[in-house]
Amino acid sequence: MNSKMLVFSNAVAGQDDAFNDWYDNVHLAEVVEVPGVIKGERYEIAPSALGGGGEPPHRYLAVYELSGDPDEVAKAFGAKAATGEIKLSPTLDMSTLSVQIWRARGTD
């Protein structure tokens, strides 16, 4: 099954450098260790001439490529978070965090 996990996030105000250091050097590797996560890439918002109604709600995006059943990947992620194998940083603004799993249309 071809699916992606999209994680939209922000740093706590004034903590972008520490947030990006944690995400790039710790968190990304922890998530890629979850069974069913093939790889992950991070992005930051780029100014665009496309417009669209002002500043977007999120500054950062992580895209993870998944294999297998997305529900199983989500369960494995939750299990690793519960045991502390995946740690969250206090620099992550949890009030704006948005995580969704998307699958390619026409797949089961």
Side-chain angles (χ1 to χ4, degrees), residues 30-42:
E30 289 177 339
V31 175
V32 172
E33 289 295 317
V34 172
V37 179
I38 298 170
K39 69 177 184 174
E41 291 183 301
R42 290 197 65 225

Side-chain angles (χ1 to χ4, degrees), residues 27-85:
H27 190 64
L28 197 63
E30 289 177 339
V31 175
V32 172
E33 289 295 317
V34 172
V37 179
I38 298 170
K39 69 177 184 174
E41 291 183 301
R42 290 197 65 225
Y43 301 86
E44 62 185 343
I45 194 74
S48 173
L50 296 177
E55 188 72 21
H58 299 99
R59 183 171 169 89
Y60 301 103
L61 167 67
V63 179
Y64 298 96
E65 185 176 334
L66 309 180
S67 67
D69 181 350
D71 289 333
E72 293 301 316
V73 176
K75 286 179 191 173
F77 183 89
K80 282 188 171 277
T83 63
E85 291 177 74

Side-chain angles (χ1 to χ4, degrees), residues 8-31:
F8 295 88
S9 61
N10 292 308
V12 171
Q15 295 293 311
D16 284 80
D17 288 342
F19 171 76
N20 286 316
D21 181 59
W22 162 75
Y23 212 121
D24 292 339
N25 297 307
V26 176
H27 190 64
L28 197 63
E30 289 177 339
V31 175

